[in-house]
Amino acid sequence: MRRRRRSRGAILLTVLLALAGGCRSDFTRQDQQKLQQLYYSGDLDRAAELSMKMSDAENGETGREALLWHLEAGSINLDAGRFDEALTALERAEKLFWLFDRQGRIRLHRPGTATYHGYRNDRLVLGMLKFFTYFSRGELEDALVEIRRLRAGQYLYLLKESDPNLREYDQENFGRKVAPYRLRKLEKENQTAAGTFRAAGVQAEYGEYKDRLRPRLALLFNPLPFYLSALGYYWDNQFDEAAVDLKYLFWLQPDNELFRRDYATVLHLLGEKIPPELASVKPWDYPLTDNLAVVILAQGIPPGWKERSTTVRLPGMVPGHWKFNLPEDSRAQALTLRASGGGRHCVGSELADLTSIAQDEFWQLTMPELAGGAAAAIRSKTIEHEAAKASLAALLASPNFDGKALAVAAATAQVAATSSISINDTDWRRWVTIAQRYRILHLPIPANREITVEVEGADRKSLFRKTLKFEPETTRALIYLREAGGKFYLKQWSTME
């Protein structure tokens, strides 16, 4: 009887330990697809609840998809108006970024790795969402702190962490069609990796990317943090700092009308010399500090992955059966953002195109690394194969001995096992509930305190229109409009500071 009690106790202890260790659920690609379906079908509340369940289950974890679930929960809960939950999830994601990047250099995710480390773009959008979240809670100073941190991270990457040769290469080839720096370097310095890349069958996608005019600097110069930073400095009356951000924006997108007029306005305010390219640009006829409304349109689904399989056959080496991903290049047609008030009519300008940024990051950083890694794996397997063949040849040439047949069979099996290699760099993980494109405009809040925001499709048909009312004491207003699955979700935030 006593033995049975001990057995039951052991069983109970096992169950309790299993329950204690089983609180964490393993969420999968199917869970993300369900999340995506709920979000883009307009069921934001259910999407928000599921996303927080996924984020809560990974709280305190550092591996696998923990970062991805925190990011998804942050963006969904912001759009659902659940600002406290959004901030909780975004701060969890930010902590993981800090852990991944604590070596001093941004550790970008490499497809196929066990843990999702996030892409540089993930870090930038996270900072923007934290800015929106604090602003929505009426915490302007905290919102501005997020913008300063976003800017600091941008300049740290630009001036210290990014490859200076990449910047110089693009500057030297301004306006020309040349191969991206890292891939050109690969062709010159590593023939095995270059052969692996050529055998990958990506000529169509790579050719389309390569044929764009240099510089393709979205990777280094995502305009989103620069402009939000400039906006924060407008509100703080620090136009000298805003001018630094606008200088980069003007260099990055010299034809962007919003950037041109903002830069001309700030230079006039500072009494600085106007560049010849801006001599004919008319500054804004209203202040950029108080009584300003900013409208941001976030549109579409971000790019995902498409899978590619190929067999790499390099001279003198074993074949490599390589699976990898390419970023999708499925750009949604940009919607037109308009706003009017007090007799003034404004049209939004492109702020960021995440598809272009994903393409840039892939061809400039990820693909050269993938090709180099695949080539290294093929070389290593070839060395093993040659050693296995040498061992088999030696056995076959040796005198008979006990167990020779078994040894020859084992060596033959080793030759077969090393005669090719499978390399799997595929990955499904991407943040799917952020927008693909961002557009922005600003205008003064008129005397009647009303502004009408409208979005038009490609046929100029109105898809969304709403008139917003502001309190008489409003000094700064931010309108964030998210288009998802053809539906529009508007957040109107303002401050009287």
Side-chain angles (χ1 to χ4, degrees), residues 188-252:
K188 287 185 174 181
E189 299 180 4
N190 189 335
Q191 289 304 309
T192 304
T196 302
F197 171 70
R198 287 192 294 270
V202 295
Q203 285 76 12
E205 294 88 351
Y206 175 58
E208 188 275 336
Y209 176 82
K210 183 181 68 173
D211 285 344
R212 299 179 190 176
L213 294 177
R214 297 283 114 189
R216 299 300 306 163
L217 289 172
L219 171 67
L220 303 178
F221 298 93
N222 186 328
L224 189 151
F226 281 126
Y227 194 80
L228 291 181
S229 173
L231 179 63
Y233 284 121
Y234 297 165
W235 288 344
D236 272 354
N237 285 287
Q238 296 186 41
F239 290 105
D240 53 341
E241 292 290 345
V244 176
D245 296 322
L246 292 167
K247 176 182 178 181
Y248 281 105
L249 287 169
F250 175 62
W251 180 58
L252 174 62

Side-chain angles (χ1 to χ4, degrees), residues 67-68 71 97 116-127 430-431 434:
L67 173 63
L68 185 59
L71 293 172
F97 279 136
Y116 182 78
H117 293 98
Y119 296 87
R120 173 165 163 72
N121 175 62
D122 294 347
R123 291 155 170 80
L124 299 179
V125 175
L126 180 142
R430 282 270 185 171
W431 186 1
I434 54 170

